[in-house]
Every structure is written in structure tokens, then in C-alpha cells.
Amino acid sequence: MDALVFDIILVISLFAISLGVAAYSTWGERKVAAALQDRVGPNRAGPFGLLQPLADGGKLFFKEGFIPSNAEKFLFILGPAITMGISLVTGAVIPWGKSLQIDGTSYDLQIANIDVGVLFLIAMVSVGVYGMMIGGWASNNKYSLIGAIRASSQMISYELAMGLSLLSIIMMSGSLDLNTIVAEQGGGKLWGLFEVDGWNWNILYQPLAFIIFVVAALAETNRHPFDLPECESELVNGYMTEYSSMSFGMYMFGEYVNMFISNALIATLFFGGFNYPGIEWVTQNWGENVAGILSILSILGKAVFGIIVFMWIRWTIPRFRYDQLMHLGWKSLIPLALINLLITGAFIIFVA
């Protein structure tokens, strides 16, 4: 198989998986909420309500797309397109598996293998702010504008803590390449004591960076308790107040795709990515393709588990006030990330 053909298949597969996970995350969210609130949840459209996402998606497609008369029409359409596009592009640099062998040739399961994958991710997160800001400003609605300002200030604040927590991982691996970061978690000596196969994960070395990154990821994806940009009791519906039909759907799907990609990134940085206990043994005894397929299931399983945890947090923890949200970002997470960075640097210099 030609490398270009394989890359095209990989792009289409990632696109389909991302949209599929986003669609069924809406079903999963309602089922998790129902379980926590002693309800049944979706159960009418298909067995166990499994066709509910298709029904909701069809409804969004066929609803009238309304654009306010005084809105900046081009920017009004561009806002949700940026949010959706950036959320899909971000997954291109994540290694989604070990490798697959086809016709005697090994193919890496990564669309864009770039040396500065971490910088690319941070850049995409930063660009994602524009989708919300443009949507709120172009609506020509003061509530939408206030929601957009809230969203942009929240995302910029928590990007700092997220970036600082990432620096500790970069210092440990000595590289900005996500492949290198994943490879170093696949084996070696755990805490310098004994050899392990597939589970020398960064969570065991950087628990504080992990907590900071997860909290920042919740804020970046506008998940509860950080959903202040969409706080209905204060802002009607935030920056997307004037949106309807698939314009609203693209904002909603963009957030769910972001949640999926964020959890895949958490798995990549802290839980060994596609690595799993015994991955080298499986490669040697069962072959490269079996190990590759299991590695894909490994990272997808970790990402789905993270999504369930995000949903559990949404229906458990009450929403912050906006001043509490900003204080947590600037007065707690950033100082903690800096302290963790200093401790990591001192360990590397004097111990490692």
C-alpha cells in the first residue's frame, strides 16, 4: 500500500471516530447523568436509546438556520467553523497506535509526525479562542459578547497553567515530539529500580502536573464546573445565544470533539499513550499487527474512560463563580505549576 493512501485512510478514520465519539458522547452524557440521578435516560430511539444521537443530529440539520439581521454574516458563520475545524485538526499530531504492517511495510499510526508536536497542540488551543470570540462579537448581541469575553479570558488564563504543566513533561523527556514522549513511557526502569514493559507512565512521576493539566483541560473545553461562558442563568446561553441549527451544532460538536482529543492527549502525556502492560511481549510473540491493534484500543479506551470521568465531574461538582474560577487559575494553578517546574528541574540536575 502506498504511504499516501494509508495517510488518507488514517485521516478519514480519525475524522469518523472523532465525530462518532462526539455524537455518542451526548448519549453517554445523558446516560451518566441519569445513572447519578437515579433515572433511565434516553430509551426511546432504538435499543437503550442508541439512535438518539442520530435523531438529535437530524433535528439540527433540518432546523432553520437563523442569522440576526444586524450580525456580521461572514464572521457569524466563520466562528463555529473555526471551533469545529481546530478541534478536528488537533488530533493529527497524536500517535494513535504503535504501528501496522501491510504488505511487509510498517506504517505509523500518526497523521503528522512533527518534531514540535507539543507546540502545535498549544498553538491550536490558542487559536480555538478565536472561534468563540468571533462568534460572540459577530452576533451583535451584548449577552453573546459578554459570554465571548468570559470564554476568551478563561481560556487564556488556563492555557498558562496548562503550558507550564506541560513543561515538566518536556523537561523529563527532553523533547517536544509526542512520539518520543510516548516511547519513553513504554519501558525502562520504573523509578530507577526495576524493568517494566509498557507501563513506565508519566503519571507515576508527575502527579501534580497531571492534576493541573486535567483541571486546565476542563476549563479549556468549557466543561462543568468551568462552563461559565455558557452559564444560562446569567448569560442566556453565552457566546452562542444567537446560533441555531447546525451553526449551534458545530459549536456543541466542537466541544465534544475537544473533550475527546483532550482526553487522548492526557492519555498520551501521562498514561503512556498507546502503550499497555506487556506491549513488547505481545509484539515479539503475537506479531506487530496484533500489538498495533491492541495499542489503538489502549489509547481509545483511556480516552473514553477520561470522557466518562469528565461527565461524572459535571454532574457532581457545583459551578464556580467567575471570580473563583479566575482565582483558581491565576492564584493556585499557575503557582503550583511553577513550583512543580522548579522541583522537576532540581531533580533532573541533582538526582537524575
Side-chain angles (χ1 to χ4, degrees):
M1 181 185 292
D2 187 70
L4 179 60
V5 174
F6 183 83
D7 286 341
I8 292 172
I9 294 172
L10 196 59
V11 168
I12 295 172
S13 300
L14 179 58
F15 179 77
I17 290 171
S18 297
L19 290 184
V21 170
Y24 275 91
S25 290
T26 62
W27 173 86
E29 183 116 58
R30 295 166 71 179
K31 281 293 186 181
V32 169
L36 292 172
Q37 297 170 357
D38 198 21
R39 296 185 289 107
V40 177
N43 67 340
R44 298 296 181 184
F48 305 103
L50 287 172
L51 297 181
Q52 188 65 49
L54 301 180
D56 293 340
K59 180 183 71 174
L60 288 174
F61 269 110
F62 289 106
K63 286 184 71 175
E64 179 184 3
F66 175 78
I67 300 178
S69 57
N70 294 325
E72 293 283 346
K73 293 186 179 179
F74 174 74
L75 295 178
F76 189 85
I77 296 170
L78 182 64
I82 290 175
T83 298
M84 190 69 182
I86 292 299
S87 64
L88 291 169
V89 167
T90 309
V93 297
I94 295 177
W96 293 97
K98 187 175 174 66
S99 62
L100 290 178
Q101 189 177 101
I102 303 174
D103 296 331
T105 304
S106 291
Y107 295 94
D108 292 331
L109 295 170
Q110 184 180 18
I111 295 170
N113 186 3
I114 56 178
D115 295 335
V116 288
V118 176
L119 286 181
F120 176 84
L121 289 169
I122 295 173
M124 290 299 102
V125 169
S126 301
V127 173
V129 177
Y130 289 97
M132 299 177 182
M133 197 65 216
I134 288 173
W137 184 83
S139 297
N140 196 25
N141 177 311
K142 63 183 178 182
Y143 296 105
S144 299
L145 181 60
I146 293 171
I149 294 170
R150 271 186 161 185
S152 57
S153 60
Q154 173 178 317
M155 292 184 72
I156 291 169
S157 300
Y158 281 83
E159 278 172 24
L160 296 172
M162 178 180 283
L164 289 171
S165 65
L166 278 175
L167 283 177
S168 59
I169 301 297
I170 294 168
M171 288 172 65
M172 285 182 59
S173 63
S175 175
L176 293 166
D177 188 349
L178 288 172
N179 264 320
T180 302
I181 293 173
V182 171
E184 290 198 348
Q185 299 177 76
K189 289 190 174 183
L190 180 64
W191 295 312
L193 299 176
F194 51 90
E195 291 287 339
V196 293
D197 180 8
W199 55 282
N200 194 14
W201 298 348
N202 284 332
I203 181 67
L204 302 173
Y205 301 94
Q206 291 287 341
L208 182 56
F210 166 71
I211 293 170
I212 294 169
F213 192 91
V214 168
V215 174
L218 283 168
E220 291 293 310
T221 53
N222 292 334
R223 296 289 302 177
H224 208 90
F226 299 96
D227 61 339
L228 270 296
E230 304 158 9
C231 183
E232 293 185 0
S233 62
E234 299 174 33
L235 296 172
V236 186
N237 201 24
Y239 60 88
M240 59 175 76
T241 298
E242 299 289 357
Y243 283 90
S244 61
S245 186
M246 274 310 295
S247 296
F248 169 80
M250 288 177 74
Y251 270 129
M252 183 181 71
F253 269 79
E255 287 190 6
Y256 277 105
V257 173
N258 273 332
M259 182 168 64
F260 169 58
I261 298 298
S262 294
N263 280 286
L265 182 57
I266 290 169
T268 300
L269 295 171
F270 295 99
F271 291 98
F274 56 76
N275 288 302
Y276 53 88
I279 185 170
E280 290 303 323
W281 183 91
V282 172
T283 304
Q284 293 169 10
N285 292 273
W286 294 351
E288 183 179 352
N289 285 344
V290 174
I293 293 170
L294 289 177
S295 69
I296 297 171
L297 296 176
S298 173
I299 189 169
L300 290 178
K302 294 170 186 176
V304 170
F305 178 78
I307 290 172
I308 294 171
V309 172
F310 271 37
M311 294 174 179
W312 173 42
I313 290 172
R314 174 178 180 177
W315 298 101
T316 305
I317 301 177
R319 179 186 289 127
F320 290 121
R321 294 197 316 266
Y322 195 71
D323 62 312
Q324 294 173 330
L325 178 143
M326 297 303 284
H327 286 172
L328 177 65
W330 287 97
K331 294 184 178 181
S332 299
L333 294 187
I334 291 177
L336 283 174
L338 288 171
I339 291 169
N340 186 63
L341 198 60
L342 289 172
I343 294 172
T344 302
F347 181 85
I348 291 172
I349 292 172
F350 297 109
V351 180

